[in-house]
Amino acid sequence: MDVLLLLLALMVALPSLSVVESRKSPVLNSFQYCAVSCRAYGASLIDFGGVGDGTTLNTNVFQTAIDHLSQYSSNGGSQLYVPPGKWLTGSFNLTSHFTLFLHKDAVILASQDENDWPVIDPLPSYGRGRDAQGGRFSSLIFGTNLTDVVITGDNGTLDGQGELWWQKFHNGELKYTRPYLIEIMYSTDVQISNLILVNSPSWNVHPVYSSNVIVQGITILAPVHSPNTDGINPDSCTNTRIEDCYIVSGDDCVAVKSGWDEYGIAYGMPTKQLVIRRLTCISPTSAVIALGSEMSGGIQDVRAEDIVAINTESGVRIKTAVGRGGYVKDIYVRRMTMKTMKWAFWMTGNYGSHADNNFDPNALPVIQNINYRDMVAENVTIAATLEGLSNAPFTGICISNVTIELAKKAKKVPWTCTDVAGISSGVTPVPCDQLQDQGPEKIGACTFPEYPLPIDDVEVQTCTYYKNF
Ligand SMILES: *[C@@H]1O[C@H](CO)[C@@H](O)[C@H](O)[C@H]1NC(C)=O
Ligand SMILES: *[C@@H]1O[C@H](CO)[C@@H](O)[C@H](O)[C@H]1NC(C)=O
Ligand SMILES: *[C@@H]1O[C@H](CO)[C@@H](O)[C@H](O)[C@H]1NC(C)=O
Ligand SMILES: *[C@@H]1O[C@H](CO)[C@@H](O)[C@H](O)[C@H]1NC(C)=O
Ligand SMILES: *[C@@H]1O[C@H](CO)[C@@H](O)[C@H](O)[C@H]1NC(C)=O
C-alpha cells in the first residue's frame, strides 16, 4: 500500500520538479540503523489507524498491524515504524522476521488497566508466578516461538508507568504476577537495542528459553527503591550478548537465571555462553550482576568485562539455596570498577526463597570455578562475604589483582568466608585463609577465556529504509 502511495506522489510531483529533485525527497526521508537483519517491507502504525495522543488505546492497532505484517515473514520480513507520539497500549505479540522500530520521540505508554493485560501461564521452569501463585500478566511487548525478531529505535521510549503496579505489589493486591516490559520466549535470533525503558512494573527485559540474543545500547531507568525492577534477565538462554547498557534500578542490573527449585530441575535448561560487557550500573539495593537465585537449570560460561558500578550494593553476587540443585560454574569477570559499594563480592548458599514446600532437600547446588580479576573498588563497606554450604562447599574460587579501598565506616573484618575454597593473588585487603594466597607473582592467576563464543561473531549490518508515509 505504501509503495503505491509513493508512486502516486512521484507522478504528481514530476510535472513541476526535475527528476533529480523528485529523487531527493525519499532520500531525505530515509533513515538508517544497525540490525542483525534488514526487512523488505515496511509500514507505519499510522497506516493502521494508530492515535498517538497518550489517551487513545492502541492495543488493537499494534496487534492488527503485526498480524497483517506477519504475512511477510517468509517473504523478506517486515518492519513496523512507530512515529513520534505517545502510544498508549496494553500487551501485544510480535511475529517472526519482524522489526519494531521506535522513532526517538515515540513513547510506547503501558496501560494501567489490568484488562489490557492478558493472563498467561506461569513459566514451566518456575512452576508459579513470582508475585502470586498461578498466571502472570503478559509483557508489554511479548513474543513466543519466534525466529529473527528485532526491537529497536533511535532511542525511543517504553514507559511502563509502573507506579500503580508497585503500589499494588506493596499493598498485596496483585492477583497475578506483574508484567515485564519485554519478554521473548522460545525464540532464536533476537535483537533488542537502542531503546530507553522507564518505570517498568517489574523486570525490564526477559529473554527466556531462547538462543542467539543480543541486547545492545539499552538505557533502563527506574526509581532505586521500586520493587523488582531488574534490568536484563537472561533466563535459560544460550548464546546471549549484553553490551553498552546503562541501568539505574531498584533491583539487579543483570540477573542471570534458569528456573526455580524442583520446577527448574525438571525443566533442566541452563543459561550458558553469556557475554556481558561495557555495562554501567547504579543499584543501591542490589547487584551489578546476580547469578541466581533461581539457577536450578544451571548457569555456565558467563564472561563479564568492562563494567562500572556506582552506589551499588554488591558487584557480583551468587545466590542459591538447598533445594535449588543445578550449578553455577565457569564464571569469569574482569575489569570492573566499583565506587561506593556495600560489598564488592557476595555469595551465599542460604538464600532461601522457595517456589513451594515441595523442594528436594537433597538437591544441592554446585558452585565451582568462579574467577574475578583486574578490579578496583573504592568506598566499600565489606570486601566480601562468601558463604557456601557445609555439605556442598563452593570451590575453585579465584580472585586476583583486585584492590578494594575500604570506606571510613567499613566493617572491622573485611572478609568473611565459610565453606568456600580457592586461591588469591595480589588482593587488598588480604583475603580470608580459605582463598590461599599464591604470592604476588601469580597476579594473573584467574582465568578469563580468550577464545570467542558464537555470539561474539554475530554482526549487525546497516539497514536503510525510505519513509514513504
Ligand atoms: C499473545 O500470545 C499469548 C501467548 O501465546 C496468547 O495467550 C495471546 O492470546 C496472544 N495475543 C494475541 C492478541 O494474539
Ligand atoms: C512453543 O515452543 C515450545 C517449546 O518448543 C512448545 O512447547 C510450544 O508448544 C510452542 N508453542 C506454540 C504456540 O507453538
Ligand atoms: C542511543 O543511546 C545509546 C546509549 O546511550 C547511544 O550510544 C547512542 O548513540 C544513542 N543513539 C541515538 C541514535 O541517539
Ligand atoms: C562513601 O559511601 C557512603 C555510603 O556508604 C556515602 O555516604 C559517601 O558519600 C561515600 N563517599 C564518597 C567519597 O563517595
Ligand atoms: C591489574 O588490574 C588493572 C585494572 O584494575 C590493570 O590495569 C592491570 O593491567 C592489571 N595488572 C595485571 C598484572 O594484570
Side-chain angles (χ1 to χ4, degrees):
M1 77 186 88
D2 299 312
V3 176
L4 200 74
L5 278 176
L6 176 66
L7 286 177
L8 281 173
L10 285 178
M11 281 160 68
V12 173
L14 273 175
S16 55
L17 295 173
S18 77
V19 171
V20 174
E21 273 167 338
S22 70
R23 264 197 206 135
K24 251 185 195 166
S25 99
V27 171
L28 282 174
N29 269 324
S30 73
F31 62 106
Q32 287 188 328
Y33 62 85
C34 292
V36 286
S37 40
C38 306
R39 311 302 182 193
Y41 188 85
S44 166
L45 199 61
I46 299 281
D47 300 336
F48 297 88
V51 180
D53 61 2
T55 54
T56 307
L57 193 66
N58 291 283
T59 316
N60 289 335
V61 179
F62 273 106
Q63 200 61 69
T64 306
I66 295 167
D67 290 348
H68 173 81
L69 292 171
S70 68
Q71 68 182 294
Y72 300 97
S73 289
S74 53
N75 195 10
S78 64
Q79 167 172 270
L80 180 64
Y81 173 84
V82 183
K86 288 192 168 173
W87 309 91
L88 182 71
T89 181
S91 164
F92 59 87
N93 293 347
L94 303 178
T95 187
S96 288
H97 304 288
F98 173 78
T99 299
L100 183 71
F101 181 91
L102 272 68
H103 182 275
K104 71 175 168 45
D105 299 319
V107 179
I108 296 186
L109 204 56
S111 163
Q112 293 188 312
D113 182 346
E114 286 190 4
N115 296 315
D116 299 327
W117 303 85
V119 176
I120 61 174
D121 288 340
L123 293 165
S125 59
Y126 284 69
R128 55 164 291 173
R130 295 186 91 272
D131 292 332
Q133 290 283 355
R136 51 201 199 104
F137 291 110
S138 183
S139 298
L140 180 63
I141 299 180
F142 180 70
T144 189
N145 302 69
L146 304 181
T147 304
D148 178 21
V149 62
V150 177
I151 308 168
T152 189
D154 278 333
N155 294 338
T157 301
L158 304 184
D159 183 346
Q161 303 205 92
E163 185 70 50
L164 198 74
W165 295 99
W166 306 330
Q167 278 172 22
K168 287 184 182 178
F169 171 79
H170 287 305
N171 298 341
E173 290 167 7
L174 289 165
K175 280 207 290 286
Y176 304 106
T177 294
R178 285 166 287 164
Y180 307 144
L181 286 183
I182 300 176
E183 181 170 74
I184 305 293
M185 223 163 113
Y186 303 121
S187 296
T188 184
D189 301 337
V190 177
Q191 174 185 340
I192 300 167
S193 61
N194 292 79
L195 296 170
I196 300 170
L197 276 53
V198 301
N199 297 333
S200 177
S202 179
W203 299 356
N204 280 269
V205 178
H206 186 221
V208 56
Y209 317 136
S210 292
S211 59
N212 302 338
V213 178
I214 294 183
V215 180
Q216 212 174 43
I218 297 288
T219 300
I220 293 175
L221 306 172
V224 293
H225 293 291
S226 54
N228 311 108
T229 47
D230 300 30
I232 302 161
N233 291 7
D235 197 347
S236 295
C237 285
T238 301
N239 264 315
T240 304
R241 189 167 110 202
I242 298 169
E243 59 194 8
D244 301 305
C245 292
Y246 176 82
I247 302 174
V248 182
S249 85
D251 211 317
D252 303 319
C253 288
V254 174
V256 184
K257 296 177 184 286
S258 65
W260 208 359
D261 290 352
E262 67 273 23
Y263 304 100
I265 295 169
Y267 203 74
M269 192 168 184
T271 288
K272 57 183 190 194
Q273 300 177 314
L274 169 64
V275 175
I276 304 168
R277 59 194 175 202
R278 299 185 301 270
L279 167 72
T280 300
C281 170
I282 300 177
S283 176
T285 64
S286 293
V288 181
I289 298 172
L291 303 161
S293 79
E294 305 91 333
M295 39 59 72
S296 302
I299 295 173
Q300 184 170 23
D301 200 349
V302 177
R303 306 167 182 198
E305 58 186 335
D306 302 308
I307 313 273
V308 175
I310 305 160
N311 191 17
T312 292
E313 195 180 67
S314 16
V316 188
R317 91 182 173 183
I318 299 176
K319 305 183 285 187
T320 185
V322 168
R324 285 287 195 284
Y327 51 84
V328 176
K329 60 188 182 192
D330 309 333
I331 308 299
Y332 312 99
V333 188
R334 70 176 172 190
R335 298 197 300 256
M336 185 148 122
T337 305
M338 297 175 260
K339 292 191 167 100
T340 304
M341 312 286 292
K342 186 160 181 200
W343 283 278
F345 308 119
W346 195 69
M347 50 180 88
T348 185
N350 299 309
Y351 195 74
S353 173
H354 296 288
D356 53 38
N357 290 327
N358 299 328
F359 65 89
D360 175 1
N362 297 316
L364 300 175
V366 173
I367 312 299
Q368 186 181 294
N369 192 24
I370 313 293
N371 299 271
Y372 303 144
R373 60 177 290 174
D374 306 339
M375 301 186 187
V376 178
E378 58 187 62
N379 201 20
V380 174
T381 308
I382 304 167
T385 297
L386 312 177
E387 51 177 29
L389 290 161
S390 56
N391 46 357
F394 297 177
T395 60
I397 297 167
C398 183
I399 305 182
S400 69
N401 187 26
V402 172
T403 305
I404 300 170
E405 186 191 282
L406 295 171
K408 286 201 182 69
K409 290 182 182 162
K411 288 272 152 53
K412 290 222 168 52
V413 183
W415 293 78
T416 303
C417 305
T418 47
D419 303 311
V420 296
I423 60 169
S424 64
S425 171
V427 177
T428 336
V430 177
C432 50
D433 293 341
Q434 287 90 337
L435 303 182
Q436 293 165 10
D437 190 355
Q438 307 297 296
E441 64 280 5
K442 293 282 177 61
I443 196 156
C446 308
T447 313
F448 194 99
E450 294 301 335
Y451 64 92
L453 290 171
I455 197 71
D456 284 310
D457 296 331
V458 175
E459 285 179 20
V460 292
Q461 51 182 309
T462 302
C463 304
T464 304
Y465 297 92
Y466 299 97
K467 246 186 266 176
N468 40 19
F469 35 74

